[in-house]
Structures are given as structure tokens and as C-alpha cells.
Amino acid sequence: MLNPALAATNQDADFIAARDAFRAGDSAKLDRMAKKLKHSPLEPYVAYYQLRIQLETVPAHAIQEFLARPDDTPLINRLRAEWLRLLGKRQQWDEFSAQFPRLVGEETDLTCYALRSRQSLQAEQVLHEARKLWTSNNADLPENCAPLLDAAIASGIISETDIWLRLRHALEEGNLTLAKQLSGKLPANRALSSSDLDSAATDPIAYLGAAPLDNAPEAQRFVALFALQRLAKQSPQLAYLQWESKAAYFTKEEQGYFYGWLAYEAARKRDARALEWYQAAGSTPLNPQQLAWRTRTSLLAQNWREVQLSIDAMTPQQQREGVWRYWKARALKAQGNLATANELFSQLSSEHNFYGQLASEEIGTDTRAAIPTGYQPGKTEINEMLARPAIQRTLALYRMNLRTDAFREWAWASRKLDDKQLLVAAEIARRNGMYDYAINTADRTTQVHDFNLRYLAPYRETLQDHIRHNELDEAWVYGLIRQESRFAYQAKSPVGATGLMQIMPATAKWIAQKIGIKSFRQSLANQLDTHFRLGTYYMKTVLSSFDNNPLLASAAYNAGPSRASKWRGDTLLEGAVYAENIPFDETRNYVKKVMSNTMYYSQLFGHPPSTLKQRLGVIAAKTTVVNAQTLSDER
């Protein structure tokens, strides 16, 4: 009997050979490998490769047979999408219509093909659905959608107003290419000048200085507003100086529109006039981002009435977000409406996140007693889950370092699992060193939880000495690593940060010099012990530079020390208010999750109790700060 480990090695080698043959377009070799893998859990991948390599010429029945297989794998859905794309391109609508309802997930180009497949029978209804697609999507739409959209415009179903709104959104996002395309769909006498758009984008001050706005047509005022918005993003002060001499040339609606954007950009830059400019926007409808920043700047000013009014102006969907339920409760409490505030806090306190923890503290709930860790899957449950081919495929793909395929397979296999099954799957992932899979899977449970899986703590023995040497809080170190990498050893960020603690190469070299590692080379930074030595030293350095405050240090670790320092207020700030006013979405969410993680790890490690508010602390004003900019902003 073949040794299981040797069998797995042989299977892996055969599969990699099959995959390489597929990539090289070598059908003969792929067929040979398919025979070897016929009874392997990975057989669906090889079958997919065989069909995909000849998708344009393979008989339809062969594709249909593959799509009808009972295998629970994302490959079937992937091939269905690829075949639908080919059918749509060929306008083979009968087969397209038979397969499209079985597609899992939405893909915009296929949605447009689906609409086109119905166009000859339901012309008006299809064009109205095309309009919904147009108005709900601010990004560029696929090329195959163009015939539908052009027909909807020609029929008037997509109106000039619709075009103007979409054009405005494109300019707000800085998408000049889309804006020019949309402008071309307007009547010639209302279209925007492409050269004016380019000038306004390149040098808004020069454009505004030269643009004649007295009795200017709507299109020209529109471009000027784009220039002003562009300038506000750079400097609200410069934009306002330009605006003061030009405001009279714009309609009341246009003035309100500009003030909404000026206030938004000012709020993100901590400009004290942001609230004043929000007030100047009057009744102009604000988008969710503008309303969020109106609330945040009200928090900075401790204007609790304005906090409540800003949240009340949000859509019901936005108001249901935990962040705004918490701050509305705080606003109500500050204004003396304690009963309603406590009701909101009580509802929020059952949620296992940053705002649930803060809400629990507001009403005095013992958050430490509420962490569930008791569920333990039995041997039978583990074996039943391991017997699933989809789980076997995931483990094999992960073992071969084919992480993208492994992730897709795991996500597909776990999408319909109940809470207990999710925890069984998470435990299997943990046992196989797939810590990120384990955490992400355990995180999805809604009723039955195990925080020992949600908040895994691998490598404690290796990390302990480095944590003690740098006098760091172990819970904070683990809270940060969980957010950085989910303990995925091979994690690499788009900007080049690597490892569990996501250290940039330049930073690793700088730390190595500081701590006396001679003949340092980047490969050393990827060795676990050295990686922890570098990362914990950097955490200690950042923490020492920021008042020993883990909230500030977490912001500095993610976005760079100079930014974290710049984001302090002009007066003392409550830690939660500082966190809420971080202008980078990524960093704002990051620090909340790191601090929330820290609280859970502290309890799981049995550390002395402390509240989240205590950990967040009070943030000193800019004027009292020791300069921390000797640290690199590239971690």
C-alpha cells in the first residue's frame, strides 16, 4: 500500500504538470495527466482545463455534461460564465437563456447579454432594466452593454437628466474618460468641452482664472464646478478663495452642490470651517460620504445636536450601520435623552465588534463574560467534513501553494454551511496551518461561536521572548497581526509588505541596522524568528513615539507616523473620536479592528481586565507632540 504522504506528493506533481500543460496549450500532455488524476479529488480541475483549452471548438454537449456534474466546485460556475460570454458574443440566445438562470453571482457583461437575449420580445421592459443598470453603476460599463444603453438613450428611457447625473458622478470620481464619453451622448449644444475638462483637471486655478462665467451656459458652469471641486480636494482654502469671486455666477442649486463638496473635503482635512460650509449647502441632498463626514466633523466640534441631525439625514440603510447607531446613541445621551440612548446601546451591545464593545461599556455590560469559546467539534464531525471532495481539493490546492484556487474552492464549499459546520471547517483549517481560512470561516457564524477559532494565537512560543524584550502588550501584538495577515505566513501586500507583520523591505533593512543584524538580506526578514524580532521592535519604536498609546501606534503602523501625528486635533480628543476622523477608510477601519481584536485577545489570554475606552485613551493635541517623523512612513 502506497504511503499517504507519498501518494499526495505524486498527485501534486501530476496536477502541477496538468496545470502547466493547460497554460502551455498542450492538449496531448493534458490528456495524459487527466488519466493519472481520474480518481483524484482534483479531477474536476483537469476536466475543466480540457474543456477550457478548446472552448470555442468543443461540442456543446461536452460543455453541457460538465455543467450538469454534481461536483460542488466553483469551476462549474466559472465555465458556465465563460461559455455564456461566448454564447452572448455569438448571439446564440436560446442556449444562453437556458444557462444564464443557473449562473451564481452577477457579472455586468453577462447581465447585458441576458437583457439583449430578451430584447426582441420585451423591448421596452429590457430598456427600462438597462436604465436601472445605468443609474446604479457609476463605473465604466462593459462594451457589450453599449447597444442597449444607446437604444435606451435614443428612446428617451435614459433621459438627459440621467446622463447629467451620471456625468456628474464620473467627474466626482475623477473619471475623465467616462465623463467625455457621456458628454458625447448629450445634444451638441449641451455637451461639455473635452479640452476644457482637461484644462480644469490639469490646472484648476489657471482654468478658473481664464473661464468666462458671466452668463455662461450650463455646460461651462458645470466644468467650472468640476475645477472648483478638484481644487477643494487639493486645498479647501484655495477653492474657497476662488469661489468667493465666482459664486454669484452659479444657480442656487449649483452653489449648494459646491458647498457640499467643499465641506466634505474640508472635513477630511480637519478644516474648522467644514461645519459652516455644510450649513451653507442648505437643503442640497448630500451623498452618504458627505453625510458621514458631516457627522465626523460634528464629533470633532463636540456638537452633539449636529451629530444627531447629520445621522437623521442619512438613508435608513446607512443609519443601520453600527458606527452611526453608536454615535447617535452618544449624541442622545449627551443631550439628556438617556432612555433612548440606552436602548440603542443595548441593541448594539450584542454585536461582537468595535462598536458593540463600546456600547457594552456605555451601559456597564461585562463584555468579558460574553465571549463564547465552548463549541468543540467531535471526531465524527471532523471526519465527515474531511470526506467532502471540496474540502480535499482545498487542502491539496493550499498544499501546492495555489492559494487563489484554494481560496475560491474553500469559499464555494463553505457558502452553505451552518454555524456548527463552519466551526468544523474552521477547525480543519487550523489543524492544517491555514490560519487565515480558519479565522475567516469562524468569523461568519451568527448564533454558535468559538472565539478561540475567531482569534487564533499561533506562534506564541516563538513570539513570547520578543514581546517581553520589547515590553509590549501581547494582546495588542496579536490584535495587530490578526488584522495585518490573519497569520498567513506567505501574505504579501500590493505595495510589497511581507510576512505575518507585513513589513516593507526598506523598513526591515532600517530595523536590522538599528538592532545590529549584520549582513542583513531580505530573505532573513521572512524567517519567522527574525521577522518577529523586526516587527516587535518596530511596534515598540512606534508605540514609544506616540505616547505609548496603542491606538495612535496602530494608525502609525498602518498609514505612517507622520500621518498619524497630523491627524491629531488642536485640542485633546477622545480616542474613539480620533479613530472616527481618520481620513483614510482603510486606516480608520484598520485601527478599530486592531483595538477590538486586542480586547478579545486580552480576555482569551487571561490578562487583567481593562475597557476599550481605556485602551483608546485620550489623544494629545498636535502642539504638545514630540516629533515622530524620523520614523519612515513606509512600514
Side-chain angles (χ1 to χ4, degrees), residues 162-439:
D162 293 329
I163 298 172
W164 274 105
L165 286 173
R166 189 165 164 78
L167 201 162
R168 176 175 280 185
H169 287 314
L171 290 178
E172 289 168 359
E173 297 295 324
N175 190 339
L176 284 185
T177 300
L178 177 59
K180 291 175 184 178
Q181 291 173 357
L182 293 168
S183 179
K185 299 181 185 300
L186 290 167
N189 64 339
R190 298 194 69 200
L192 309 186
S193 162
S194 291
S195 60
D196 281 0
L197 281 173
D198 288 334
S199 298
T202 304
D203 190 341
I205 291 180
Y207 173 79
L208 290 166
L213 292 175
D214 192 13
N215 295 317
E218 182 181 17
Q220 196 160 334
R221 299 196 310 273
F222 203 88
V223 178
L225 283 172
F226 167 61
L228 285 161
Q229 182 193 346
R230 193 90 166 180
L231 189 56
K233 191 181 293 288
Q234 298 172 21
S235 167
Q237 173 63 20
L238 287 177
Y240 185 66
L241 288 174
Q242 289 287 326
W243 177 252
E244 282 186 305
S245 61
K246 295 175 173 58
Y249 298 126
F250 295 89
T251 66
K252 184 177 179 181
E253 187 272 335
E254 290 166 345
Q255 291 177 12
Y257 173 80
F258 171 71
Y259 275 119
W261 279 106
L262 180 65
Y264 167 75
E265 297 295 352
R268 295 178 74 244
K269 291 178 172 59
R270 301 286 187 86
D271 191 310
R273 294 166 293 179
L275 271 183
E276 174 189 336
W277 289 333
Y278 269 121
Q279 295 293 337
S283 60
T284 301
L286 301 177
N287 68 29
Q289 292 77 22
Q290 290 170 323
L291 284 167
W293 279 99
R294 177 178 161 184
T295 308
R296 292 183 180 116
T297 202
S298 301
L299 286 171
L300 280 178
Q302 293 291 283
N303 186 334
W304 292 107
R305 174 173 165 74
E306 187 65 24
V307 169
Q308 182 183 346
L309 290 173
S310 299
I311 295 172
D312 286 343
M314 295 175 178
T315 63
Q317 180 181 0
Q318 190 177 9
Q319 288 189 49
R320 284 193 292 271
E321 295 173 18
V323 52
W324 306 127
R325 284 186 287 146
Y326 173 75
W327 287 117
K328 181 172 182 176
R330 285 285 303 275
L332 290 167
K333 181 177 179 179
Q335 296 174 88
N337 191 344
L338 199 58
T340 307
N342 284 343
E343 184 178 348
L344 288 173
F345 285 137
S346 180
Q347 293 169 0
L348 191 55
S349 67
S350 64
E351 299 180 15
H352 299 297
N353 54 45
F354 182 80
Y355 289 106
Q357 290 165 322
L358 286 175
S360 294
E361 293 174 5
E362 289 288 340
I363 55 176
T365 302
D366 183 2
T367 58
R368 297 175 65 83
I371 297 182
T373 58
Y375 180 74
Q376 295 294 327
K379 185 176 180 180
T380 300
E381 295 167 297
I382 294 289
N383 289 337
E384 286 175 354
M385 187 65 67
L386 281 170
R388 298 188 182 204
I391 299 298
Q392 294 172 17
R393 281 192 292 272
T394 300
L395 296 176
L397 292 164
Y398 193 92
R399 184 177 63 238
M400 290 182 282
N401 203 30
L402 301 176
R403 298 301 171 85
T404 301
D405 286 330
F407 175 80
R408 288 172 178 162
E409 192 75 39
W410 184 267
W412 188 269
S414 63
R415 74 194 189 284
K416 295 180 180 179
L417 300 182
D418 62 28
D419 281 358
K420 289 187 177 180
Q421 290 171 323
L422 285 170
L423 294 177
V424 173
E427 174 61 17
I428 289 171
R430 183 196 68 80
R431 293 181 184 186
N432 285 274
M434 300 161 58
Y435 300 127
D436 50 339
Y437 287 50
I439 291 170

Side-chain angles (χ1 to χ4, degrees), residues 15 18 22 30-31 33-34 37-38 42-54 58 62-63 66 69 71 75 79:
F15 182 76
F22 166 65
L30 181 56
D31 291 343
M33 292 300 104
L37 293 160
K38 186 174 182 180
L42 293 168
E43 183 274 336
Y45 278 78
V46 184
Y48 166 81
Y49 294 156
Q50 289 176 299
L51 290 171
R52 187 65 183 83
I53 206 171
Q54 51 181 344
V58 71
I63 296 175
F66 182 84
R69 291 170 64 143
D71 305 279
L75 289 174
L79 187 70

Side-chain angles (χ1 to χ4, degrees), residues 25-215:
D26 188 342
S27 295
K29 183 178 180 181
L30 181 56
D31 291 343
R32 291 197 301 273
M33 292 300 104
K35 292 177 182 177
K36 290 188 173 186
L37 293 160
K38 186 174 182 180
H39 301 294
S40 160
L42 293 168
E43 183 274 336
Y45 278 78
V46 184
Y48 166 81
Y49 294 156
Q50 289 176 299
L51 290 171
R52 187 65 183 83
I53 206 171
Q54 51 181 344
L55 186 62
E56 298 201 9
T57 57
V58 71
H61 70 83
I63 296 175
Q64 291 164 345
E65 286 173 7
F66 182 84
L67 297 180
R69 291 170 64 143
D71 305 279
D72 192 24
T73 172
L75 289 174
I76 292 174
N77 199 58
R78 190 192 309 178
L79 187 70
R80 178 172 281 116
E82 290 161 346
W83 195 36
L84 283 167
R85 207 160 272 118
L86 182 60
L87 292 171
K89 185 178 179 181
R90 293 173 174 173
Q91 299 189 29
Q92 294 176 245
W93 300 128
D94 288 344
E95 182 60 31
F96 183 98
S97 298
Q99 289 294 334
F100 181 74
R102 300 173 189 171
L103 184 71
V104 177
E106 292 186 12
E107 299 188 40
T108 304
D109 64 328
L110 295 181
T111 299
C112 285
Y113 276 137
L115 290 173
R116 289 173 62 183
S117 73
R118 297 163 40 212
Q119 194 169 3
S120 62
L121 300 175
Q122 302 171 312
E124 185 172 354
Q125 181 179 337
V126 162
L127 295 184
H128 278 287
E129 290 181 42
R131 180 184 178 275
K132 288 181 183 177
L133 189 65
W134 164 285
T135 56
S136 64
N137 195 323
N138 291 333
D140 294 359
L141 291 168
E143 188 176 338
N144 72 303
C145 299
L148 280 172
L149 301 175
D150 289 343
I153 290 170
S155 68
I157 289 174
I158 292 178
S159 66
E160 282 189 35
T161 300
D162 293 329
I163 298 172
W164 274 105
L165 286 173
R166 189 165 164 78
L167 201 162
R168 176 175 280 185
H169 287 314
L171 290 178
E172 289 168 359
E173 297 295 324
N175 190 339
L176 284 185
T177 300
L178 177 59
K180 291 175 184 178
Q181 291 173 357
L182 293 168
S183 179
K185 299 181 185 300
L186 290 167
N189 64 339
R190 298 194 69 200
L192 309 186
S193 162
S194 291
S195 60
D196 281 0
L197 281 173
D198 288 334
S199 298
T202 304
D203 190 341
I205 291 180
Y207 173 79
L208 290 166
L213 292 175
D214 192 13
N215 295 317

Side-chain angles (χ1 to χ4, degrees), residues 527-568:
Q527 295 177 4
L528 198 59
D529 188 68
T530 304
H531 183 77
F532 286 149
R533 186 181 176 192
L534 297 171
T536 53
Y537 177 87
Y538 187 70
M539 287 185 73
K540 177 62 175 180
T541 304
V542 173
L543 186 66
S544 299
S545 299
F546 283 92
D547 311 334
N548 288 312
N549 181 298
L551 169 64
L552 279 172
S554 298
Y557 197 94
N558 180 262
S562 65
R563 294 191 185 100
S565 182
K566 185 176 74 172
W567 295 335
R568 294 180 188 253

